[in-house]
Amino acid sequence: MTTSEFDSYFPAEYAGPRRRRRRGAARDLAARGTDWLTGRARGRGEQPVVPEPEFSSYYGQGVVKAVPWRHEISVYLFTGGVAGGSGLLAVGAHLAGHDALRTSARLTALAAAGASGVALIADLGRPERFLNMLRTLKLTSPMSVGTWIFSGYSASAGLAAACEVDRLLGGRRGGPGLPVLGALLRPFDAVGTAGLALFSAPLAAYTAVLLSDTATPVWFESRRHLPQVFVSSAALASGGVQMVLLPTGAAGPARRLAALGALGDLVAVHRLEQHLEHEGVLEPLHTGHPGTMMRTAKACVLGGGLGALAAGALRGTPAGRVVSVASGLALAAASALTRFAVVEGGQASARDPRFTVEPQRRRLAARRAAGQVGDSIAT
């Protein structure tokens, strides 16, 4: 059937406009140099008719689901870092004979571990859920390994703190010491110190591995740099806490650890941001509430680190004590703000599908350019 025969079945008032529209469309295609049947440009070989697809998620929803963590997990990350750094300070003070620092660091380690446990159980909802996590040890699971690290650290911190309380009550100098338990605990002081030496560093670092072992874009892309950020943050936070608690004369090792942690934090955060910018997922960490917290944290790290150096120069003076307390508080706040910003920035990146798909596209394009994969998905 020809076009004219087909048009003859339509009423006259419809057939004429149909012919005019068809002729107009043909003239437009001819003017563009395009074949009217296939839609391909003439003289340029095979051309795709279907336009290049563009990514769009279902009603703008994220490709991966954001982890439903509340602020309890951010608190857990912060107090866990303080606990890990305080444990290392306690071990070093014990070996170097800094009695005041050893006592303060051991008690801080136990208090921080207790706060971490409360925050973790609050997030889990029921205490027995934490106990259920101890039924097995799965070495390929950062959460399972982290649970055992935290449990071992808490037991060691509790034992070391109990021995310290017994010492404060005069148990090692002929005094009463802890009732009943004092005499039993004194031989295990070295065991508590060894446990802190074993578990403190892993406690400060494992939470970064836990975050990186997810599909959340910011956390996943940070997997090579986030442990350095968290360890440096733990060092400056624990040193800052001891600068607040101890006189300037007794807090020398803590000040040095805080200053070293501040320097390491600035370098590690800079490298992390460079990497995230290269991967195209820095925006969630630099905008909105997470961006404000990150900028404030950097200012506190810089001010607190310089204050730690100044407090050392002014030790033994009232001004030195004021600078020490202010710097310690700034460093502790910086560590907390960094953890909160990383958690909230990661959740924001999971809610936006761009940060999941675009890094994958860039890596695929780079592999194709290098000849590692073909153009077909099947390859």
Side-chain angles (χ1 to χ4, degrees), residues 294-322:
M294 283 299 294
R295 289 188 292 271
T296 306
K298 290 179 184 178
C300 289
V301 169
L302 183 59
L306 294 176
L309 298 177
L314 297 172
R315 63 182 180 275
T317 65
R321 179 59 180 155
V322 172

PDB file of all heavy atoms in Angstrom, residues 294-322:
ATOM      1  N   MET A 294      34.277  20.257  59.398  1.00  0.00           N
ATOM      2  CA  MET A 294      35.651  20.023  58.961  1.00  0.00           C
ATOM      3  C   MET A 294      36.479  21.301  59.020  1.00  0.00           C
ATOM      4  O   MET A 294      37.640  21.281  59.460  1.00  0.00           O
ATOM      5  CB  MET A 294      35.661  19.455  57.548  1.00  0.00           C
ATOM      6  CG  MET A 294      35.306  17.985  57.450  1.00  0.00           C
ATOM      7  SD  MET A 294      36.453  16.900  58.346  1.00  0.00           S
ATOM      8  CE  MET A 294      37.956  17.124  57.392  1.00  0.00           C
ATOM      9  N   ARG A 295      35.911  22.411  58.594  1.00  0.00           N
ATOM     10  CA  ARG A 295      36.652  23.672  58.647  1.00  0.00           C
ATOM     11  C   ARG A 295      36.940  24.076  60.097  1.00  0.00           C
ATOM     12  O   ARG A 295      38.041  24.559  60.414  1.00  0.00           O
ATOM     13  CB  ARG A 295      35.871  24.770  57.928  1.00  0.00           C
ATOM     14  CG  ARG A 295      35.830  24.591  56.415  1.00  0.00           C
ATOM     15  CD  ARG A 295      35.218  25.807  55.742  1.00  0.00           C
ATOM     16  NE  ARG A 295      33.791  25.943  56.058  1.00  0.00           N
ATOM     17  CZ  ARG A 295      32.824  25.383  55.360  1.00  0.00           C
ATOM     18  NH1 ARG A 295      33.119  24.620  54.309  1.00  0.00           N
ATOM     19  NH2 ARG A 295      31.552  25.566  55.684  1.00  0.00           N
ATOM     20  N   THR A 296      35.964  23.887  60.968  1.00  0.00           N
ATOM     21  CA  THR A 296      36.179  24.210  62.384  1.00  0.00           C
ATOM     22  C   THR A 296      37.230  23.296  63.000  1.00  0.00           C
ATOM     23  O   THR A 296      38.069  23.731  63.798  1.00  0.00           O
ATOM     24  CB  THR A 296      34.854  24.095  63.155  1.00  0.00           C
ATOM     25  OG1 THR A 296      33.851  24.898  62.517  1.00  0.00           O
ATOM     26  CG2 THR A 296      35.016  24.548  64.592  1.00  0.00           C
ATOM     27  N   ALA A 297      37.196  22.022  62.628  1.00  0.00           N
ATOM     28  CA  ALA A 297      38.169  21.063  63.152  1.00  0.00           C
ATOM     29  C   ALA A 297      39.590  21.449  62.743  1.00  0.00           C
ATOM     30  O   ALA A 297      40.525  21.377  63.554  1.00  0.00           O
ATOM     31  CB  ALA A 297      37.836  19.658  62.664  1.00  0.00           C
ATOM     32  N   LYS A 298      39.771  21.862  61.495  1.00  0.00           N
ATOM     33  CA  LYS A 298      41.108  22.271  61.046  1.00  0.00           C
ATOM     34  C   LYS A 298      41.611  23.464  61.846  1.00  0.00           C
ATOM     35  O   LYS A 298      42.786  23.518  62.241  1.00  0.00           O
ATOM     36  CB  LYS A 298      41.071  22.606  59.561  1.00  0.00           C
ATOM     37  CG  LYS A 298      40.867  21.414  58.649  1.00  0.00           C
ATOM     38  CD  LYS A 298      40.814  21.863  57.202  1.00  0.00           C
ATOM     39  CE  LYS A 298      40.507  20.722  56.279  1.00  0.00           C
ATOM     40  NZ  LYS A 298      40.417  21.158  54.859  1.00  0.00           N
ATOM     41  N   ALA A 299      40.725  24.439  62.076  1.00  0.00           N
ATOM     42  CA  ALA A 299      41.128  25.613  62.854  1.00  0.00           C
ATOM     43  C   ALA A 299      41.504  25.215  64.281  1.00  0.00           C
ATOM     44  O   ALA A 299      42.491  25.713  64.848  1.00  0.00           O
ATOM     45  CB  ALA A 299      40.000  26.642  62.859  1.00  0.00           C
ATOM     46  N   CYS A 300      40.731  24.303  64.868  1.00  0.00           N
ATOM     47  CA  CYS A 300      41.031  23.854  66.237  1.00  0.00           C
ATOM     48  C   CYS A 300      42.335  23.064  66.289  1.00  0.00           C
ATOM     49  O   CYS A 300      43.103  23.184  67.256  1.00  0.00           O
ATOM     50  CB  CYS A 300      39.878  23.002  66.758  1.00  0.00           C
ATOM     51  SG  CYS A 300      38.358  23.914  67.110  1.00  0.00           S
ATOM     52  N   VAL A 301      42.605  22.260  65.273  1.00  0.00           N
ATOM     53  CA  VAL A 301      43.857  21.496  65.240  1.00  0.00           C
ATOM     54  C   VAL A 301      45.047  22.440  65.160  1.00  0.00           C
ATOM     55  O   VAL A 301      46.040  22.289  65.886  1.00  0.00           O
ATOM     56  CB  VAL A 301      43.855  20.511  64.053  1.00  0.00           C
ATOM     57  CG1 VAL A 301      45.247  19.919  63.849  1.00  0.00           C
ATOM     58  CG2 VAL A 301      42.857  19.395  64.286  1.00  0.00           C
ATOM     59  N   LEU A 302      44.945  23.421  64.267  1.00  0.00           N
ATOM     60  CA  LEU A 302      46.055  24.358  64.116  1.00  0.00           C
ATOM     61  C   LEU A 302      46.268  25.169  65.390  1.00  0.00           C
ATOM     62  O   LEU A 302      47.393  25.291  65.895  1.00  0.00           O
ATOM     63  CB  LEU A 302      45.777  25.279  62.932  1.00  0.00           C
ATOM     64  CG  LEU A 302      46.874  26.295  62.578  1.00  0.00           C
ATOM     65  CD1 LEU A 302      48.178  25.581  62.248  1.00  0.00           C
ATOM     66  CD2 LEU A 302      46.439  27.168  61.422  1.00  0.00           C
ATOM     67  N   GLY A 303      45.176  25.714  65.944  1.00  0.00           N
ATOM     68  CA  GLY A 303      45.304  26.495  67.165  1.00  0.00           C
ATOM     69  C   GLY A 303      45.744  25.664  68.343  1.00  0.00           C
ATOM     70  O   GLY A 303      46.592  26.084  69.140  1.00  0.00           O
ATOM     71  N   GLY A 304      45.171  24.454  68.472  1.00  0.00           N
ATOM     72  CA  GLY A 304      45.550  23.596  69.586  1.00  0.00           C
ATOM     73  C   GLY A 304      46.982  23.112  69.494  1.00  0.00           C
ATOM     74  O   GLY A 304      47.686  23.021  70.516  1.00  0.00           O
ATOM     75  N   GLY A 305      47.452  22.800  68.283  1.00  0.00           N
ATOM     76  CA  GLY A 305      48.844  22.365  68.135  1.00  0.00           C
ATOM     77  C   GLY A 305      49.823  23.467  68.485  1.00  0.00           C
ATOM     78  O   GLY A 305      50.822  23.237  69.192  1.00  0.00           O
ATOM     79  N   LEU A 306      49.558  24.680  68.008  1.00  0.00           N
ATOM     80  CA  LEU A 306      50.423  25.806  68.368  1.00  0.00           C
ATOM     81  C   LEU A 306      50.344  26.104  69.857  1.00  0.00           C
ATOM     82  O   LEU A 306      51.349  26.440  70.499  1.00  0.00           O
ATOM     83  CB  LEU A 306      50.029  27.041  67.552  1.00  0.00           C
ATOM     84  CG  LEU A 306      50.259  26.943  66.039  1.00  0.00           C
ATOM     85  CD1 LEU A 306      49.729  28.193  65.349  1.00  0.00           C
ATOM     86  CD2 LEU A 306      51.736  26.732  65.721  1.00  0.00           C
ATOM     87  N   GLY A 307      49.136  25.962  70.425  1.00  0.00           N
ATOM     88  CA  GLY A 307      48.986  26.178  71.862  1.00  0.00           C
ATOM     89  C   GLY A 307      49.751  25.162  72.681  1.00  0.00           C
ATOM     90  O   GLY A 307      50.293  25.494  73.754  1.00  0.00           O
ATOM     91  N   ALA A 308      49.813  23.906  72.193  1.00  0.00           N
ATOM     92  CA  ALA A 308      50.580  22.885  72.912  1.00  0.00           C
ATOM     93  C   ALA A 308      52.063  23.249  72.951  1.00  0.00           C
ATOM     94  O   ALA A 308      52.734  23.076  73.973  1.00  0.00           O
ATOM     95  CB  ALA A 308      50.381  21.530  72.245  1.00  0.00           C
ATOM     96  N   LEU A 309      52.588  23.757  71.848  1.00  0.00           N
ATOM     97  CA  LEU A 309      53.986  24.186  71.835  1.00  0.00           C
ATOM     98  C   LEU A 309      54.200  25.378  72.757  1.00  0.00           C
ATOM     99  O   LEU A 309      55.196  25.453  73.488  1.00  0.00           O
ATOM    100  CB  LEU A 309      54.400  24.538  70.409  1.00  0.00           C
ATOM    101  CG  LEU A 309      54.349  23.392  69.387  1.00  0.00           C
ATOM    102  CD1 LEU A 309      54.725  23.907  68.003  1.00  0.00           C
ATOM    103  CD2 LEU A 309      55.279  22.251  69.799  1.00  0.00           C
ATOM    104  N   ALA A 310      53.244  26.316  72.743  1.00  0.00           N
ATOM    105  CA  ALA A 310      53.369  27.498  73.607  1.00  0.00           C
ATOM    106  C   ALA A 310      53.265  27.127  75.079  1.00  0.00           C
ATOM    107  O   ALA A 310      53.970  27.698  75.929  1.00  0.00           O
ATOM    108  CB  ALA A 310      52.298  28.522  73.234  1.00  0.00           C
ATOM    109  N   ALA A 311      52.386  26.166  75.387  1.00  0.00           N
ATOM    110  CA  ALA A 311      52.233  25.755  76.781  1.00  0.00           C
ATOM    111  C   ALA A 311      53.512  25.137  77.317  1.00  0.00           C
ATOM    112  O   ALA A 311      53.861  25.302  78.498  1.00  0.00           O
ATOM    113  CB  ALA A 311      51.075  24.763  76.903  1.00  0.00           C
ATOM    114  N   GLY A 312      54.240  24.434  76.453  1.00  0.00           N
ATOM    115  CA  GLY A 312      55.519  23.886  76.895  1.00  0.00           C
ATOM    116  C   GLY A 312      56.526  24.968  77.210  1.00  0.00           C
ATOM    117  O   GLY A 312      57.300  24.854  78.168  1.00  0.00           O
ATOM    118  N   ALA A 313      56.515  26.033  76.413  1.00  0.00           N
ATOM    119  CA  ALA A 313      57.444  27.138  76.669  1.00  0.00           C
ATOM    120  C   ALA A 313      57.058  27.922  77.911  1.00  0.00           C
ATOM    121  O   ALA A 313      57.920  28.531  78.556  1.00  0.00           O
ATOM    122  CB  ALA A 313      57.492  28.059  75.452  1.00  0.00           C
ATOM    123  N   LEU A 314      55.764  27.918  78.265  1.00  0.00           N
ATOM    124  CA  LEU A 314      55.275  28.693  79.409  1.00  0.00           C
ATOM    125  C   LEU A 314      55.015  27.828  80.642  1.00  0.00           C
ATOM    126  O   LEU A 314      54.358  28.281  81.576  1.00  0.00           O
ATOM    127  CB  LEU A 314      53.974  29.410  79.022  1.00  0.00           C
ATOM    128  CG  LEU A 314      54.071  30.448  77.895  1.00  0.00           C
ATOM    129  CD1 LEU A 314      52.681  30.927  77.504  1.00  0.00           C
ATOM    130  CD2 LEU A 314      54.956  31.617  78.317  1.00  0.00           C
ATOM    131  N   ARG A 315      55.515  26.599  80.636  1.00  0.00           N
ATOM    132  CA  ARG A 315      55.201  25.696  81.752  1.00  0.00           C
ATOM    133  C   ARG A 315      55.729  26.280  83.062  1.00  0.00           C
ATOM    134  O   ARG A 315      56.779  26.930  83.108  1.00  0.00           O
ATOM    135  CB  ARG A 315      55.802  24.316  81.513  1.00  0.00           C
ATOM    136  CG  ARG A 315      57.294  24.274  81.429  1.00  0.00           C
ATOM    137  CD  ARG A 315      57.764  22.833  81.147  1.00  0.00           C
ATOM    138  NE  ARG A 315      59.210  22.745  81.046  1.00  0.00           N
ATOM    139  CZ  ARG A 315      59.893  22.985  79.937  1.00  0.00           C
ATOM    140  NH1 ARG A 315      59.262  23.343  78.838  1.00  0.00           N
ATOM    141  NH2 ARG A 315      61.215  22.872  79.930  1.00  0.00           N
ATOM    142  N   GLY A 316      54.952  26.028  84.113  1.00  0.00           N
ATOM    143  CA  GLY A 316      55.310  26.552  85.427  1.00  0.00           C
ATOM    144  C   GLY A 316      54.754  27.923  85.716  1.00  0.00           C
ATOM    145  O   GLY A 316      54.956  28.446  86.812  1.00  0.00           O
ATOM    146  N   THR A 317      54.044  28.511  84.745  1.00  0.00           N
ATOM    147  CA  THR A 317      53.450  29.839  84.943  1.00  0.00           C
ATOM    148  C   THR A 317      51.937  29.729  84.850  1.00  0.00           C
ATOM    149  O   THR A 317      51.409  28.810  84.213  1.00  0.00           O
ATOM    150  CB  THR A 317      53.958  30.827  83.883  1.00  0.00           C
ATOM    151  OG1 THR A 317      53.485  30.399  82.591  1.00  0.00           O
ATOM    152  CG2 THR A 317      55.486  30.870  83.870  1.00  0.00           C
ATOM    153  N   PRO A 318      51.199  30.658  85.465  1.00  0.00           N
ATOM    154  CA  PRO A 318      49.731  30.636  85.324  1.00  0.00           C
ATOM    155  C   PRO A 318      49.269  30.733  83.875  1.00  0.00           C
ATOM    156  O   PRO A 318      48.302  30.083  83.476  1.00  0.00           O
ATOM    157  CB  PRO A 318      49.287  31.847  86.145  1.00  0.00           C
ATOM    158  CG  PRO A 318      50.394  32.074  87.127  1.00  0.00           C
ATOM    159  CD  PRO A 318      51.643  31.693  86.418  1.00  0.00           C
ATOM    160  N   ALA A 319      49.978  31.541  83.082  1.00  0.00           N
ATOM    161  CA  ALA A 319      49.599  31.659  81.671  1.00  0.00           C
ATOM    162  C   ALA A 319      49.779  30.337  80.941  1.00  0.00           C
ATOM    163  O   ALA A 319      48.969  29.965  80.073  1.00  0.00           O
ATOM    164  CB  ALA A 319      50.439  32.751  80.996  1.00  0.00           C
ATOM    165  N   GLY A 320      50.832  29.599  81.297  1.00  0.00           N
ATOM    166  CA  GLY A 320      51.052  28.298  80.679  1.00  0.00           C
ATOM    167  C   GLY A 320      49.926  27.339  80.966  1.00  0.00           C
ATOM    168  O   GLY A 320      49.511  26.552  80.096  1.00  0.00           O
ATOM    169  N   ARG A 321      49.412  27.378  82.186  1.00  0.00           N
ATOM    170  CA  ARG A 321      48.299  26.494  82.540  1.00  0.00           C
ATOM    171  C   ARG A 321      47.046  26.860  81.752  1.00  0.00           C
ATOM    172  O   ARG A 321      46.330  25.977  81.257  1.00  0.00           O
ATOM    173  CB  ARG A 321      48.029  26.589  84.043  1.00  0.00           C
ATOM    174  CG  ARG A 321      46.874  25.742  84.538  1.00  0.00           C
ATOM    175  CD  ARG A 321      47.100  24.281  84.240  1.00  0.00           C
ATOM    176  NE  ARG A 321      45.984  23.457  84.715  1.00  0.00           N
ATOM    177  CZ  ARG A 321      45.679  22.258  84.198  1.00  0.00           C
ATOM    178  NH1 ARG A 321      46.398  21.743  83.203  1.00  0.00           N
ATOM    179  NH2 ARG A 321      44.673  21.574  84.683  1.00  0.00           N
ATOM    180  N   VAL A 322      46.776  28.150  81.609  1.00  0.00           N
ATOM    181  CA  VAL A 322      45.605  28.586  80.848  1.00  0.00           C
ATOM    182  C   VAL A 322      45.721  28.166  79.392  1.00  0.00           C
ATOM    183  O   VAL A 322      44.779  27.636  78.790  1.00  0.00           O
ATOM    184  CB  VAL A 322      45.431  30.115  80.961  1.00  0.00           C
ATOM    185  CG1 VAL A 322      44.338  30.600  80.027  1.00  0.00           C
ATOM    186  CG2 VAL A 322      45.112  30.509  82.404  1.00  0.00           C
TER     187      VAL A 322
END
